Amino acid sequence: MIVIRRLTRAKFPIAALALATLGLAACDPVVNIAGANFPAWLLCAIVGAVFAAAFRPVFAASGIEPYLGPLLLIYPCLAVLLGCAVYLIFFNRV
């Protein structure tokens, strides 16, 4: 009886994870670009990276880039921030 309880408790997180994966699989909006379907998060990640790359010359020309901190941390975080902002602006379902 103890073995059965241990197996049941061990399989519960796996079953919950599988059920959550199946339930959340349909929540991602899909964008149709030239006949190919792309997930919205992929489009937002690309746009965020492009916008972060576009901000770099602005920061360098204004002279604030040396004061930003570690650039290997700042620009990826800026890309994530901009990608999330694009997702909230264009794919918000609330």
Side-chain angles (χ1 to χ4, degrees), residues 10-21:
K11 290 184 180 181
F12 178 74
I14 296 170
L17 181 63
L19 186 62
T21 302

Side-chain angles (χ1 to χ4, degrees), residues 11-69:
K11 290 184 180 181
F12 178 74
I14 296 170
L17 181 63
L19 186 62
T21 302
L22 290 175
L24 295 175
C27 294
D28 191 22
V30 176
V31 180
N32 189 355
I33 300 175
N37 293 324
F38 292 98
W41 64 266
L42 182 64
L43 181 66
C44 293
I46 293 169
V47 170
V50 169
F51 281 173
F55 272 112
R56 188 185 185 284
V58 174
F59 290 154
S62 64
I64 64 170
E65 191 176 42
Y67 303 107
L68 288 178

Side-chain angles (χ1 to χ4, degrees), residues 2-15:
I2 294 173
V3 175
I4 294 172
R5 287 184 185 167
R6 286 184 185 168
L7 288 176
T8 306
R9 287 183 185 166
K11 290 184 180 181
F12 178 74
I14 296 170

